[in-house]
Amino acid sequence: MFSGKVAVVTGGARGIGKAIAQAFRDRGATVRVIDLLPCDFCGDVGKKEDLEAFARDVVSRQGQVHFLINNALPLMKGLDECTYEEFNYALRVGVSAPFYLTKLLAPHFGEGAAVVNISSSRDRMSQPQTESYTAAKGGIAALTHALAVTLREKARVNSISPGWIDTEGTVYTGPDAAQHPAGRVGTPDDIASAVLFLCSPQASFITGENLCIDGGMTKQMIYHGDCGWKLDL
């Protein structure tokens, strides 16, 4: 299904991005990754010049792109400590970079192209002191449906909002697992599988949508005593 296709993954050297990149490779796709960590193209998606250099490199080497996965992780800092510059950097990584990389690569989208933006369940719920990350994730969720309309008949555009996804291989039990109706904490492969589906022909009638993959966590209300949780007074 993905043999001979080209997938671009931002933030693809670790965590969810690494799982997505590997899933495409396992199915025969050529994968191009940009990340601050060692990878085939080291760069900062928060910098315009790095995005432009990466896009030029991808187009010169691969010629076209079929799948663009905007996954790079924004900074998470809150109202008390986040500076103006840090907040804007989080927005550059989380919103401006997906917009600009899509703009740069769109003229080179191949047949059946799809864009998947990685948002977060924080696009609809929050913890204290997470404003920079939450704003970026809310922004990319909204950007998704705008791009879907603009890129109609050229590429489908959807977003995924992961919930609690463990990237360290930890096995969680007790209240950590019980607060999820699915009975467990998520893994990067849960998100990678959804990305593959949204990029596949089976999802050809899906665009402009946001898929929350959180084991049902945002649907379950938890009060004192529920699922093993106790209010610490």
Side-chain angles (χ1 to χ4, degrees), residues 89-175:
Y89 179 70
L91 295 182
R92 290 204 309 273
V93 171
V95 184
S96 300
F99 164 78
Y100 195 47
L101 192 55
T102 303
K103 178 182 177 69
L104 292 170
L105 294 178
H108 310 284
F109 282 165
E111 184 178 357
V115 178
V116 180
N117 297 320
I118 304 301
S119 182
S120 168
S121 58
R122 293 173 189 269
D123 64 7
R124 67 203 67 191
M125 59 191 297
S126 296
Q127 290 176 300
Q129 302 301 327
T130 63
E131 280 78 10
S132 67
Y133 184 89
T134 299
K137 292 304 186 181
I140 198 172
L143 177 65
T144 294
H145 55 75
L147 288 173
V149 174
T150 298
L151 292 174
R152 61 197 305 157
E153 300 180 8
K154 188 177 187 69
R156 293 179 301 100
V157 186
N158 293 288
S159 62
I160 292 174
S161 291
W164 182 355
I165 305 296
D166 172 65
T167 59
E168 304 298 328
T170 306
V171 177
Y172 292 91
T173 59

Side-chain angles (χ1 to χ4, degrees), residues 177-195:
Q179 68 175 304
H180 297 79
R184 64 175 176 85
V185 172
T187 70
D189 286 340
D190 292 320
I191 307 306
S193 294
V195 169

Side-chain angles (χ1 to χ4, degrees), residues 32-87:
R32 296 300 311 275
V33 168
I34 181 172
D35 202 301
L36 291 171
L37 295 175
C39 61
D40 68 276
F41 192 99
C42 290
D44 183 349
V45 300
K47 295 181 177 179
K48 178 174 179 282
E49 59 271 23
D50 285 6
L51 290 172
E52 291 173 341
F54 177 57
R56 285 195 302 268
D57 189 65
V58 169
V59 172
S60 66
R61 292 173 182 268
Q62 275 70 51
Q64 60 181 348
V65 172
H66 300 90
F67 312 116
L68 170 58
I69 316 302
N70 290 304
N71 166 78
L73 191 67
L75 175 74
M76 184 188 286
K77 295 189 78 171
L79 189 66
D80 290 352
E81 296 184 358
C82 189
T83 67
Y84 180 83
E85 291 76 16
E86 288 173 328
F87 190 84

Side-chain angles (χ1 to χ4, degrees), residues 201-226:
Q202 283 72 28
S204 63
F205 199 55
I206 302 174
T207 194
E209 287 300 317
N210 176 280
L211 176 60
C212 186
I213 302 178
D214 67 347
M217 188 176 177
T218 55
K219 296 297 188 288
Q220 177 165 275
M221 296 180 68
I222 298 179
Y223 289 93
H224 174 67
D226 291 343

